[in-house]
Amino acid sequence: MRELIDCHIHTHCCGHATGTVEQVVGAAVFAGLTGIVLTEHLPLPSDLDPGRAVSPSEEDFAAYAVSVQAIAKRVKGLDLVLGAEADWLPGREEYASSIRRFALDSGVRVILGSVHFLDGWAFDDPTQVESWETRDVDAVWNRYFQVWGDAARSGAFDVMCHPDLVKKFGHRPSFDPRDLYLEAADAAREGGVLIEVSTAGLRRSVAELYPGPGLLKAFAAAGVPATVGSDAHSPADVGRDIDLAYEALACAGYRQVGFPRGEGEVRWLDL
């Protein structure tokens, strides 16, 4: 029987999700998952999140990490790993270094890298979606993949999540993005990161996995290993559509999916 995993899950700790650690773990067990990585957002700089609406304080994250580690010791039949998601902020590379140190000191074993901000603009924030109307979509796509490539090569992350998040609201470039995809694949290979196939895009306006077929095939051709995640922000979404992520990986040419456990350890599961 095929093992199902989910390596990108949030809890109420981040301020914009629901469900306690216990509820999320219960949902994973109910869904028949054999392994999960809890990946709460790491604290953002205060100027980007002054009200702690999208990321916890350092104190709250540290308390959350302790609770995850305690539950991991007593849960049965589920491989539970403490992870975290960290933003790559262009021009603020020192933040990535400091937040990685904080994460590791908190016991985090797997760090997901993400790009949500382009020069201070949270391009995937539903409350800022109207900003797209004043932007050059082609320029945004080019800038996004430039920043994404820098993040992938940085050495700050173990996994790069939702790789083509820039398409979230359905905005597509006027040009063929194939060259951007090849550059992203080269960056991931050079950075030694896994990429995530995220099912969250199926629940967004774009109605497509992150990454889409073209980008996923570029990753496969470059030999970039992959993992999967739901980016669940509620217990109901834990493990959601992971079977579709597996199918997409197989169609792109992958034969295995990775379950990262930290310190370079990856458990490989057959598709």
Side-chain angles (χ1 to χ4, degrees):
M1 184 175 178
R2 183 170 61 176
E3 288 191 56
L4 296 177
I5 57 174
D6 188 342
C7 302
H8 190 164
I9 301 172
H10 298 280
T11 72
H12 70 97
C13 178
C14 68
H16 62 284
T18 62
T20 64
V21 174
E22 291 85 350
Q23 288 170 331
V24 165
V25 169
V29 172
F30 183 77
L33 304 181
T34 61
I36 61 173
V37 185
L38 291 183
T39 53
E40 199 50 271
H41 291 278
L42 288 167
L44 281 165
S46 57
D47 61 303
L48 292 178
D49 188 18
R52 290 296 160 208
V54 294
S55 70
S57 66
E58 290 191 0
E59 293 77 11
D60 286 346
F61 184 91
Y64 153 85
V66 169
S67 70
V68 173
Q69 291 167 316
I71 292 171
K73 291 179 180 178
R74 65 175 187 263
V75 68
K76 305 298 182 184
L78 181 70
D79 193 354
L80 172 56
V81 176
L82 174 61
E85 180 180 355
D87 280 87
W88 179 257
L89 304 175
R92 301 176 70 163
E93 287 73 15
E94 76 289 346
Y95 164 76
S97 298
S98 64
I99 205 64
R100 181 176 176 84
R101 286 194 300 272
F102 167 76
L104 296 176
D105 288 345
S106 299
V108 169
R109 296 180 59 81
V110 177
I111 301 179
L112 309 187
S114 58
V115 176
H116 294 101
F117 294 89
L118 294 177
D119 306 311
W121 172 42
F123 65 87
D124 73 318
D125 184 346
T127 67
Q128 299 187 44
V129 67
E130 291 183 359
S131 295
W132 277 94
E133 304 308 315
T134 64
R135 308 273 177 162
D136 180 332
V137 173
D138 288 359
V140 173
W141 269 66
N142 277 303
R143 178 62 174 153
Y144 172 83
F145 277 100
Q146 177 189 20
V147 172
W148 192 94
D150 291 342
R153 291 187 176 95
S154 69
F157 310 114
D158 304 298
V159 180
M160 289 300 296
C161 56
H162 39 60
D164 52 358
L165 182 64
V166 67
K167 71 185 181 185
K168 177 178 178 178
F169 298 119
H171 298 91
R172 303 281 189 173
S174 64
F175 59 86
D176 185 341
R178 188 178 311 171
D179 288 344
L180 295 181
Y181 294 168
L182 294 176
E183 291 170 7
D186 285 344
R189 184 186 66 246
E190 292 168 12
V193 295
L194 281 76
I195 58 94
E196 172 197 71
V197 177
S198 170
T199 65
L202 298 174
R203 309 191 296 275
R204 307 294 183 245
S205 302
V206 70
E208 184 179 79
L209 293 169
Y210 307 120
L215 180 52
L216 186 55
K217 288 179 180 178
F219 285 134
V224 178
T227 186
V228 292
S230 65
D231 199 357
H233 280 66
S234 72
D237 286 332
V238 173
R240 187 169 176 177
D241 296 321
I242 290 297
D243 56 332
L244 299 181
Y246 278 34
E247 291 174 14
L249 283 166
C251 287
Y254 285 89
R255 294 295 174 263
Q256 291 183 313
V257 61
F259 181 71
R261 304 196 73 261
E263 298 182 355
E265 179 187 352
V266 179
R267 185 160 64 90
W268 298 103
L269 308 176
D270 292 335
L271 292 169

